[in-house]
Amino acid sequence: KVADLDDEFAELVLGECSENFDLIPAAKLQSAIRRVTLAQKAVPVLCGSALKNKGVQPLLDAVTMYLPAPNERSYQFLQWYKDDLCALAFKVLHDKCRGPLVFVRVYSGSLKPQSAVYNINKSCTERMSRLLLPFADQQIEIPSLMPGNIALTVGLKQSATGDTIVSSKASAVAAARRAGRDAGGEKRPTSDTESLLLAGVEIPDPVFFCTIEPPSMAKQQDLDNALSCLQREDPSLKVKLDPDTGQTILCGMGELHIEIIHDRIKREYGIETYLGPLQIAYRETILNAAQAADTLDKTIGDKRHFVTAELEVRPRLGERAATKPLIEYAASVIEVLTEELQGAVENGITNSFIQGPLLGFPVQDIDVMMQSLTVHPDTSHTMVSACVSRCMQKALKKAGIQILEPVMDLEITVSEGHLSAALADLAQRRGSVQEIQSRQDNRVVVAAVPLAEMMGYSTVLRSLTSGSATFTLALASYQALNSQEQSALLQSRMGLV
């Protein structure tokens, strides 16, 4: 098989060793497998069991023998750093004595203890005190870390999963300048270019949320600290405060995810917490275009704050959901728009997108046209943001709000005998089956199902199939609810049903 993919090895097999394949030297076969792997023509597969410690050592030997060394990979961003430090923080652990321990992988340059480093994502400089090489639960202090290697760092308080770490801010700016030149010489903002350099982690939006409360108000501070630590370890976990009720909201990727977080708070931090009912993270959008105007006129002390704003909102037609608004300005507005004033206007518009006017869910897929803006010279930027935000809320209400629900890609692997039961259950869940594939003795059902219908699905599927079926769920898109479903959701949210 290797000879089919590597000409040099094929010559050896067909020439010297054609009579007896046992004569092929092991080193020649290993170097051929390495060439094939580096060329990405094939992937070596090894069998074993971590539980019984079978095949683990050959696997580690294969990693060393067949996978590329750091200097054999050509990442595009490395040429911008030259020999300066570029490292990725890819995991965070919390140690009760030493605080956060950040796993770092170095791509270029070197990392040394007692040195200051710059975090591009957080735009902050941090001091690292120690470098540790982890061996299971033992950690050995090391004097430096070279490209391709992984170590634990002690002392990084701000760095989280997916952050890019460099030697200094000057190094990041220099790399951004080189990247700008490589992109065709056009001058672009540093922040835009810096985003090209990050090898970070892509985090999907959470689809489930629930309230979490401590056993008493005295434990609230401890719970906040625990959630802060867990958020740094797990970027897919989001924690926010409900502005209306003051409750802490946990947002996660699924029922199991939130259950695990709940269990970790109890096990690792010793806090018994109460979870509210699990709810679906819906979105809101608009049905029609609408215009609105608003005036804010307040005198505070000896200063008069006066703003008038007029804007138009339009539904955006596009395949990909966009939670960030696309903001345009009329020619008359551009004439008076300073950089600070533009920031205040965009802040007001963005804030109104966080909570929609119907049920308080984030708003998406909307274009905004700022048609006119009048600002008194003494007016603070906070007042401008407040006026624009109020104007946005008016326009959104006029435009007619549509609720969007998360729809999931569902894949069920089920035996032939239980297929009809699984399909009948899917039909009751508003699921649409896209295809049914054969995989060995099983059938694989690919379907799209609203997330609202998938609560407790794992238990139901186990019951229907005597525990033999498995399934995977992934967020596909947000789709509009029909008028009947939307009114039913509104009634249940308002406590009418």
Side-chain angles (χ1 to χ4, degrees):
K1 286 292 180 185
V2 175
D4 290 343
L5 301 167
D6 185 80
D7 293 342
E8 188 182 327
F9 188 67
E11 286 176 21
L12 179 69
V13 171
L14 297 172
E16 300 169 32
C17 309
S18 58
E19 299 297 324
N20 185 359
F21 288 163
D22 293 337
L23 297 175
I24 298 170
K28 294 279 188 185
L29 177 58
Q30 285 166 356
S31 59
I33 293 172
R34 179 176 172 78
R35 286 195 300 273
V36 167
T37 306
L38 295 186
Q40 298 184 5
K41 292 179 181 175
V43 179
V45 176
L46 292 94
C47 300
S49 164
L51 182 66
K52 297 180 180 178
N53 196 25
K54 301 287 185 194
V56 176
Q57 288 76 18
L59 172 65
L60 294 174
D61 291 340
V63 167
T64 310
M65 281 191 289
Y66 305 134
L67 295 184
N71 57 7
E72 292 175 303
R73 293 296 307 273
S74 55
Y75 296 106
Q76 188 190 12
F77 60 86
L78 289 187
Q79 63 190 358
W80 302 328
Y81 281 105
K82 298 195 179 288
D83 294 324
D84 282 348
L85 171 69
C86 177
L88 175 70
F90 65 89
K91 184 177 173 64
V92 180
L93 291 176
H94 275 85
D95 186 281
K96 287 182 180 174
C97 303
R98 290 174 292 194
L101 303 176
V102 181
F103 279 88
V104 167
R105 196 246 171 134
V106 175
Y107 285 88
S108 72
S110 64
L111 201 54
K112 289 183 170 60
Q114 302 298 334
S115 60
V117 293
Y118 182 72
N119 184 320
I120 293 182
N121 300 61
K122 302 286 190 302
S123 301
C124 68
T125 300
E126 297 198 88
R127 181 161 287 281
M128 184 184 54
S129 57
R130 297 164 69 199
L131 269 179
L132 306 170
L133 201 59
F135 285 100
D137 57 351
Q138 295 179 16
Q139 285 139 14
I140 299 165
E141 201 155 342
I142 53 172
S144 66
L145 192 66
M146 303 311 287
N149 290 321
I150 289 168
L152 275 169
T153 60
V154 183
L156 300 182
K157 305 287 185 201
Q158 304 293 324
S159 299
T161 302
D163 288 355
T164 299
I165 292 167
V166 296
S167 55
S168 65
K169 187 171 184 178
S171 168
V173 170
R177 207 175 292 121
R178 290 184 203 113
R181 283 203 297 270
D182 288 356
E186 74 269 23
K187 194 171 181 183
R188 49 165 80 177
T190 303
S191 58
D192 285 0
T193 315
E194 280 174 3
S195 67
L196 299 172
L197 310 178
L198 307 180
V201 182
E202 213 171 291
I203 309 297
D205 290 333
V207 288
F208 278 106
F209 70 95
C210 68
T211 57
I212 183 167
E213 292 180 2
S216 66
M217 284 308 294
K219 290 278 187 183
Q220 183 66 51
Q221 184 64 47
D222 293 339
L223 176 61
D224 291 345
N225 291 338
L227 289 173
S228 174
C229 292
L230 289 169
Q231 267 188 287
R232 281 191 62 195
E233 290 184 26
D234 178 2
S236 62
L237 172 70
K238 299 280 191 292
V239 179
K240 61 183 184 182
L241 204 65
D242 189 309
D244 299 325
T245 63
Q247 289 175 298
T248 305
I249 310 289
L250 271 190
C251 307
M253 304 308 299
E255 294 173 84
L256 182 62
H257 186 200
I258 288 177
E259 278 173 29
I260 289 168
I261 295 297
H262 184 223
D263 181 59
R264 285 188 66 186
I265 292 169
K266 180 182 175 182
R267 193 162 29 87
E268 296 174 24
Y269 298 92
I271 307 168
E272 287 279 1
T273 53
Y274 304 109
L275 291 184
L278 214 55
Q279 299 183 61
I280 307 297
Y282 292 94
R283 295 266 177 91
E284 298 182 19
T285 191
I286 56 173
L287 294 167
N288 312 300
Q291 288 184 328
D294 197 77
T295 302
L296 186 147
D297 191 354
K298 279 190 178 181
T299 304
I300 301 171
D302 57 347
K303 286 188 178 179
R304 185 187 179 198
H305 300 271
F306 180 81
V307 190
T308 62
E310 188 178 341
L311 51 78
E312 181 187 24
V313 292
R314 295 186 300 272
R316 185 188 308 177
L317 301 173
E319 300 213 354
R320 292 193 64 186
T323 47
K324 285 189 177 178
L326 182 69
I327 305 167
E328 297 173 333
Y329 299 93
S332 58
V333 177
I334 291 172
E335 290 171 12
V336 298
L337 208 61
T338 62
E339 196 174 325
E340 292 81 9
L341 200 56
Q342 184 178 349
V345 168
E346 291 182 2
N347 188 38
I349 292 172
T350 307
N351 285 345
S352 63
F353 266 58
I354 295 169
Q355 280 194 305
L358 198 58
L359 287 174
F361 290 111
V363 180
Q364 71 173 42
D365 298 336
I366 296 177
D367 294 339
V368 181
M369 167 62 86
M370 200 74 209
Q371 292 174 325
S372 74
L373 183 71
T374 308
V375 182
H376 191 274
D378 285 341
T379 305
S380 75
H381 292 139
T382 309
M383 293 296 184
V384 174
S385 292
C387 180
V388 171
S389 186
R390 206 163 66 180
C391 191
M392 271 293 296
Q393 291 293 324
K394 280 186 183 177
L396 291 173
K397 284 175 185 171
K398 274 189 191 177
I401 293 292
Q402 168 73 59
I403 299 289
L404 305 173
E405 66 173 344
V407 174
M408 313 299 281
D409 279 335
L410 171 68
E411 192 176 286
I412 310 168
T413 305
V414 62
S415 63
E416 186 75 51
H418 294 113
L419 178 64
S420 56
L423 290 174
D425 179 66
L426 267 186
Q428 293 177 342
R429 295 174 184 271
R430 295 192 283 136
S432 62
V433 177
Q434 289 158 357
E435 61 175 319
I436 300 173
Q437 306 164 350
S438 294
R439 188 178 294 166
Q440 295 170 340
D441 298 332
N442 292 327
R443 291 301 190 94
V444 178
V445 179
V446 180
V449 193
L451 180 62
E453 305 291 342
M454 296 302 289
M455 299 287 239
Y457 183 64
S458 56
T459 309
V460 173
L461 188 65
R462 274 200 298 270
S463 303
L464 286 174
T465 63
S466 305
S468 62
T470 59
F471 74 97
T472 60
L473 267 183
L475 179 64
S477 62
Y478 280 85
Q479 291 182 13
L481 285 171
N482 62 41
S483 55
Q484 189 180 347
E485 289 161 354
Q486 181 161 318
S487 60
L489 176 64
L490 285 169
Q491 286 182 331
S492 67
R493 285 298 172 125
M494 293 169 182
L496 301 175
V497 291

